[in-house]
Amino acid sequence: MPARPATVPIAPISYAGSPLDRADHIRTSPEALAQLRGPGARVLLLDGLDPVLTSQDTLRWGDLDAVSPEAELVFLGLDGEGTERRACFAPVPVVKPGETPHAGPASWSAMAVLSHEELAIYGGARALVGWHARHRFCAQCGSETVLDKGGWQRTCTSATCGVPHFPRVDPVTIMSVEHEDRLLLGRQPRFPEGRYSALAGFVEPGETVEEAVAREVFEEAGVRVHDVTYIASQPWPFPSSLMIACHAVAKDDAITMDETELDDVRWFTRAEVEEAVAAKTERGEAGLAFDAPSQSAVAYVLLKWWLDRGPVT
Amino acid sequence: MPARPATVPIAPISYAGSPLDRADHIRTSPEALAQLRGPGARVLLLDGLDPVLTSQDTLRWGDLDAVSPEAELVFLGLDGEGTERRACFAPVPVVKPGETPHAGPASWSAMAVLSHEELAIYGGARALVGWHARHRFCAQCGSETVLDKGGWQRTCTSATCGVPHFPRVDPVTIMSVEHEDRLLLGRQPRFPEGRYSALAGFVEPGETVEEAVAREVFEEAGVRVHDVTYIASQPWPFPSSLMIACHAVAKDDAITMDETELDDVRWFTRAEVEEAVAAKTERGEAGLAFDAPSQSAVAYVLLKWWLDRGPVT
């Protein structure tokens, strides 16, 4: 796998850059954890899995009294320095009927207004408490599980089973695919009108990142690729993906679309991508070849990277 | 994140390179799946999660009669070309009491003797059937689950829940950390005598690959790093990790070891790493600074890459 040119900058990655110290040594110490659950602690307030914002568009925090004493609390980490050091927690919500793990309107709004650091705190908390909410039972034996290690584990309560379960992170490949200075982008049926984005798919057991990229592009577009290059990664908390953004070069430009996955997939010229990305920055403009992905998505970072890299000469 | 030099070769990645066509369109078609479960199909024989080898050190396959009619079967993919095309399955075993998901003697033996392609088939199958064996119940409601989509999903049998569950892949970062042409390697208590390897740890919700690398190195060795570079990836089926191998540069060489995780961690010179890696290739040699990781581990690939890259001038 060839390297990406070191000189090409990467745009800011949304949901990265949490300022919290995860302080993992505290997770394994029930005494230290109990001590942190004192008057200085703060609790991230959530509406189910959605963020709750103040009138100043910041995350809303409460003290421990703000949540039910029965609520399971996840230890997110430590905030601040020295005597200002505070423990941060988030409560595990109950899964609402019909609630999907995808990003809803409240999350998209938060992406538009929260600071980079607060968005990262919210994302990390959402992925973690969402996993707890969906893992109240042991997948191995069906017994109830309880929160353990400050929320970085759940443990089966059955005396004959008792296995530990760990928060899940699903690696997903997402790729810019290039052929003669054009980029392959597709649209899923659920996309807003005009939106095209990078193809993507989960890494499966038994394959490398590079193999997953090649498989996905072939499955979805019938295009064979080579020279897969790692570009950047992003934690995406809907429900808990690790987006692994790569670039790949197509062997030729003939497309065979997977109609069960995509509405359309096609090649866009550098000028078309450039216009669409510029319009996204300026929030909306008419007469474009397509609507670029959100600036919060790593797909946007990939498109920006490809534009900044320029044509291969 | 800077790029790794494109000219430095990467050693073969064990468990990568499966020759099977995953044929994902078949998974969603019960008719196509039923048709494949005919006389031409072959089933990978396993001893629990361990491989079963022939006297020629190849994987042992049987036909559908070789497994119980009640056994859940996972569709691994298609093998061969044209009229030689066969569907490959693997049975879901029952978890044995005390069975760990780590690599045992039978797996290490298989790594030493199986061909690159057969090892990849075994690894992909093991990760997948192991996940099924440990997910017979719904983590959300505790009801039983059944195998679905040819084994690429389990579905909750409760009429009020019915959620789908997907095979799990856990992203793990593993890193070569460099300071003035020396490499930081550590040993875990469970390692064989003399063994040192690259530090490693799971990617947690809410962090990028690069952030996970920096956090792990600081947690385990108290060393701050910069310039994290992606090198390679590997599917590691014990139980189902995606190893993401990176290189990082240390800010200084002062070590504060995490004594709960490691027996020792220290800096090795280029000459020491070179000797240890060379000895590994030739299977055992006395008078080394340390015993290098197995050639099947991506840690070995990282060490080889660092040696081949040479000192930074």
Side-chain angles (χ1 to χ4, degrees), chain A residues 1-4 6 15-18 22 24 27 95 124 127-128 134-142 152 166-171 203-211 215 219 230 233-235 240 242 244, chain B residues 1-4 6 15-18 22 24 27 95 124 127-128 134-142 152 166-171 203-211 215 219 230 233-235 240 242 244:
Chain A
M1 176 150 125
R4 72 172 162 81
Y15 292 108
S18 169
R22 289 169 182 255
D24 78 314
R27 302 173 186 171
V95 177
L128 199 50
R134 295 186 307 277
H135 288 77
R136 296 193 186 271
F137 295 88
C138 176
Q140 192 156 319
C141 80
W152 294 87
F166 302 101
R168 183 170 169 145
V169 174
D170 296 308
V203 178
E204 295 188 346
E207 62 185 4
T208 63
V209 167
E210 295 76 7
E211 289 172 332
R215 178 182 54 75
E219 280 176 10
Y230 173 93
S233 64
Q234 177 189 42
S240 185
L242 175 68
I244 303 174
Chain B
M1 175 151 125
R4 72 171 162 83
Y15 292 107
S18 170
R22 289 168 182 255
D24 78 315
R27 302 173 186 171
V95 177
L128 198 52
R134 294 186 308 275
H135 288 77
R136 296 193 186 270
F137 295 88
C138 176
Q140 192 156 319
C141 81
W152 294 87
F166 303 101
R168 183 170 168 146
V169 174
D170 296 308
V203 178
E204 295 188 346
E207 61 186 3
T208 62
V209 167
E210 294 77 6
E211 289 172 331
R215 178 183 54 74
E219 280 176 10
Y230 174 92
S233 63
Q234 178 189 42
S240 184
L242 175 69
I244 303 174

Side-chain angles (χ1 to χ4, degrees), chain B residues 22-307:
Chain B
R22 289 168 182 255
D24 78 315
H25 56 284
I26 290 175
R27 302 173 186 171
T28 48
S29 165
E31 299 76 28
L33 274 169
Q35 218 166 17
L36 288 176
R37 290 178 68 148
R42 63 177 189 161
V43 177
L44 182 65
L45 302 185
L46 296 169
D47 173 17
L49 294 173
D50 282 335
V52 179
L53 304 191
T54 67
S55 56
Q56 286 83 46
D57 285 338
T58 59
L59 291 175
R60 189 177 285 279
W61 297 84
D63 57 22
L64 289 170
D65 297 337
V67 292
S68 152
E70 285 84 46
E72 289 185 322
L73 283 183
V74 167
F75 171 58
L76 301 176
L78 301 171
D79 194 13
E81 298 287 336
T83 55
E84 298 294 305
R85 212 151 167 79
R86 283 174 304 185
C88 300
F89 294 89
V92 177
V94 173
V95 177
K96 297 177 187 168
E99 188 172 47
T100 77
H102 300 299
S107 290
W108 284 111
S109 300
M111 287 183 235
V113 300
L114 280 182
S115 72
H116 190 75
E117 294 196 340
E118 283 215 321
L119 186 63
I121 293 174
Y122 165 64
R126 176 181 173 122
L128 198 52
V129 300
W131 175 80
H132 280 279
R134 294 186 308 275
H135 288 77
R136 296 193 186 270
F137 295 88
C138 176
Q140 192 156 319
C141 81
S143 301
E144 285 188 32
T145 58
V146 288
L147 182 146
D148 211 348
K149 306 269 169 74
W152 294 87
Q153 182 175 318
R154 292 190 77 82
T155 306
C156 174
T157 54
S158 158
T160 55
C161 177
V163 300
H165 299 277
F166 303 101
R168 183 170 168 146
V169 174
D170 296 308
V172 174
T173 54
I174 180 163
M175 60 293 285
S176 52
V177 178
E178 176 171 34
H179 187 264
E180 293 177 0
D181 215 34
R182 291 179 304 160
L183 218 54
L184 184 71
L185 303 174
R187 55 172 281 108
Q188 296 175 25
R190 65 176 179 83
F191 279 7
E193 198 189 329
R195 171 75 49 84
Y196 281 77
S197 188
L199 304 182
F202 289 96
V203 178
E204 295 188 346
E207 61 186 3
T208 62
V209 167
E210 294 77 6
E211 289 172 331
V213 167
R215 178 183 54 74
E216 282 293 337
V217 178
F218 185 70
E219 280 176 10
E220 297 194 3
V223 171
R224 294 288 184 191
V225 299
H226 57 92
D227 287 349
V228 178
T229 317
Y230 174 92
I231 305 295
S233 63
Q234 178 189 42
W236 184 249
F238 308 103
S240 184
S241 295
L242 175 69
M243 306 300 295
I244 303 174
C246 295
H247 184 67
V249 180
K251 289 199 178 129
D252 65 59
D253 64 356
I255 288 173
T256 308
M257 185 175 78
D258 177 357
E259 297 185 2
T260 63
E261 293 277 333
L262 296 175
D263 265 358
D264 192 22
V265 57
R266 50 188 169 108
W267 297 98
F268 291 91
T269 65
R270 180 168 291 271
E272 287 172 329
V273 176
E274 192 131 44
E275 270 183 13
V277 166
K280 207 72 184 183
T281 313
E282 295 144 18
R283 292 181 191 273
E285 196 161 291
L288 300 171
F290 72 103
D291 175 33
S294 158
Q295 288 178 270
S296 302
V298 79
Y300 177 89
V301 176
L302 262 180
L303 267 52
K304 271 287 282 173
W305 169 84
W306 183 72
L307 291 173

Side-chain angles (χ1 to χ4, degrees), chain A residues 2 22 25 87 90 139 145 152 154 166 171 184 202 217 245 272 288:
Chain A
R22 289 169 182 255
H25 56 283
T145 59
W152 294 87
R154 291 190 78 82
F166 302 101
L184 184 71
F202 289 96
V217 178
E272 287 172 329
L288 299 171

Side-chain angles (χ1 to χ4, degrees), chain A residues 8 10-11 15 18 39 48 63 96 120 142 155 167 169 175 199 280 308:
Chain A
V8 179
I10 296 293
Y15 292 108
S18 169
D63 56 23
K96 296 177 187 170
T155 306
V169 174
M175 60 294 285
L199 303 182
K280 207 71 184 182
D308 291 344

